[in-house]
Amino acid sequence: MKTDELLNLLAADRITAPAPAQQLLRTLLPGVAVAITLYLIVAGWRADVIASLSSPRFIFKLAINAALILAAGALLLRLTRPEAITGKLRIPLLLILAALLIAVTTELLLLPQATWWQAAHGHNSTWCLRLIPTFAAAPLAATLYTLRRAAPTRPAMAGAVAGLVSAGIGGVLYATHCPDDSPLFVALWYGLATALVAAVGALAGARILRW
Amino acid sequence: MQAAIAGNETAYHGLLLELSRWLRTRLRARLLQTGHGDADTEEAVQETLLAIHLKRHTWRRDAPFVPWVAAIARNKLVDQLRRRHRRAEVPLDEMLDDLPDTPQPEQTSATRDIGHLLNLLDERQRAIVLGVAIEGRTAREAAVALGMSEGAVRVTLHRCLQRLARRIREEQT
């Protein structure tokens, strides 16, 4: 086929997919709905969830996961475009990491050394590693699907960022269930769970996001 | 591009034609350096145009157009080079001797031409694709000729293009 003939074909095709941001909204809403349903079935909120809203540690735990959703979400939308320059959009993610380090340092200063391990180990560490990825699964499928229909030129990175967004969603949900609020616990177990979901996203991205 | 997204076929056709010339010149320069021929260039041009078309929703109205096109072209060029990787390397001197003098390259047929992929399509799909591509029919004319609705012709055409893109991607892996 000559290129001119291909041009006739392309010009006759008027069907355009919706913009990536719109697609993300359409896929992520059902993804989050699935995550919330799973959360309600297997976990549910802890009994003192309202009272905990006055606890700075509890608020920090929620806020850092919510911040991760926003920061990684902005980066994700950027990566849907082929000419994406991530530049300044990486800064919020670094700030989140810095905030986590500051919180960990503060906690180490506040707590006597003898209780460090207890605070970090908490009651629910293995559940944390299991449930955050479980809640993140449907949002990860949704974000990867959106990316697949977009034009990411860095597939593994885009997949990893999709994993970060999804782990943030899983983290916010799990945070209202888990009784452990210490930043030591959050940094260790939420951090591990988030890294796991991001790694799965990166591996999947490298495989399925080429176009 | 804005007019094209709004559904102005003539404007879009003009834009694609201009893009095809721009891509041919640029891709040819890059591909000749690595020992590729005009047929490879045309293949890369066609695959890039198809990608631009199917990914046009990722261009934002407030973003500059050229970097967006260039990013897609680069992505397709990398694919092309990877695919031909096994080919024997041509020494640089020899390659430069072969450089033709014509500054504006002519359009040639592609080697593993998108046309070959038409074999994937069923009879009706092929009739639509060939009618529009070679005879230059509009979607409405093709619909009348085949006794289908215009909407059905457009949906079929769109699916055929997506299928071609998917097949090209599968051949790369």
Side-chain angles (χ1 to χ4, degrees):
Chain A
M1 184 183 285
K2 287 204 165 186
T3 303
D4 286 344
E5 293 162 3
L6 178 67
L7 295 189
N8 288 339
L9 276 184
L10 301 184
D13 175 29
R14 274 201 244 164
I15 299 174
T16 316
Q22 212 178 333
Q23 276 188 12
L24 184 64
L25 206 64
R26 278 189 206 171
T27 56
L28 202 51
L29 285 180
V32 169
V34 170
I36 291 176
T37 310
L38 276 175
Y39 162 82
L40 292 175
I41 293 171
V42 304
W45 54 83
R46 63 195 223 192
D48 62 344
V49 72
I50 301 294
S52 312
L53 288 174
S54 58
S55 148
R57 288 190 176 90
F58 182 76
I59 294 295
F60 171 78
K61 184 169 81 163
L62 279 182
I64 199 150
N65 280 291
L68 180 63
I69 299 174
L70 295 178
L75 192 55
L76 182 77
L77 277 179
R78 178 66 63 87
L79 287 168
T80 58
R81 289 153 54 186
E83 82 282 25
I85 297 164
T86 50
K88 286 182 187 160
L89 283 178
R90 291 176 187 217
I91 295 173
L93 282 179
L94 294 176
L95 289 178
I96 289 173
L97 201 59
L100 187 62
L101 289 177
I102 291 170
V104 165
T105 314
T106 313
E107 183 79 341
L108 290 176
L109 293 173
L110 286 175
L111 294 181
Q113 199 170 349
T115 60
W116 283 359
W117 171 242
Q118 198 193 337
H121 187 261
H123 311 85
N124 268 20
S125 54
T126 55
W127 278 108
C128 178
L129 279 183
R130 271 180 256 175
L131 288 181
I132 289 180
T134 304
F135 302 152
L140 182 61
T143 42
L144 286 175
Y145 179 77
T146 304
L147 282 172
R148 195 170 152 74
R149 297 191 62 191
T153 37
R154 276 173 284 182
M157 184 181 181
V161 173
L164 289 181
V165 176
S166 312
I169 294 169
V172 166
L173 289 175
Y174 183 70
T176 63
H177 168 77
C178 160
D180 298 299
D181 295 342
S182 169
L184 302 183
F185 183 90
V186 174
L188 187 58
W189 302 108
Y190 285 61
L192 268 178
T194 302
L196 183 74
V197 178
V200 170
L203 286 175
R207 287 183 60 89
I208 65 169
L209 295 181
R210 296 194 179 284
W211 46 276
Chain B
M1 193 57 160
Q2 291 193 15
I5 287 173
N8 182 337
E9 286 180 27
T10 321
Y12 189 42
H13 197 282
L15 172 77
L16 288 172
L17 189 63
E18 217 174 293
L19 276 175
S20 70
R21 292 190 184 128
W22 186 78
L23 288 168
R24 191 171 296 122
T25 311
R26 289 191 47 145
L27 290 173
R28 184 168 186 271
R30 296 296 300 275
L31 286 167
L32 278 179
Q33 283 169 9
T34 43
H36 295 70
D38 284 343
D40 298 315
T41 306
E42 212 53 36
E43 185 177 309
V45 168
Q46 292 188 358
E47 287 177 12
T48 308
L49 288 169
L50 184 61
I52 287 171
H53 175 72
L54 291 175
K55 299 293 186 186
R56 66 197 188 281
H57 59 288
T58 67
W59 176 66
R60 282 167 47 154
R61 277 155 194 253
D62 56 346
F65 187 57
V66 171
W68 179 82
V69 170
I72 292 180
R74 195 179 316 122
N75 206 38
K76 288 288 139 190
L77 183 68
V78 170
D79 285 347
Q80 181 86 357
L81 295 177
R82 197 177 292 149
R83 194 158 55 219
R84 303 283 164 177
H85 189 64
R86 286 178 226 126
R87 226 184 227 185
E89 299 238 339
V90 182
L92 193 66
D93 294 338
E94 206 174 299
M95 222 172 70
L96 292 175
D97 286 342
D98 287 343
L99 275 181
D101 300 330
T102 45
Q104 170 63 43
E106 290 293 308
Q107 191 182 119
T108 43
S109 284
T111 27
R112 199 225 28 185
D113 175 278
I114 286 183
H116 289 318
L117 300 175
L118 290 180
N119 297 333
L120 299 171
L121 309 177
D122 68 32
E123 211 170 309
R124 173 159 284 210
Q125 289 171 329
R126 203 156 47 224
I128 292 174
V129 166
L130 292 178
V132 173
I134 294 170
E135 291 157 39
R137 285 182 184 162
T138 63
R140 183 171 305 145
E141 287 163 0
V144 170
L146 293 163
M148 296 169 70
S149 76
E150 188 182 340
V153 167
R154 288 195 189 276
V155 169
T156 307
L157 191 58
H158 184 67
R159 291 212 181 119
C160 291
L161 291 174
Q162 284 179 320
R163 188 143 179 219
L164 295 185
R166 206 179 315 135
R167 186 51 182 261
I168 290 169
R169 189 167 61 230
E170 282 163 5
E171 284 186 1
Q172 275 156 15
T173 50

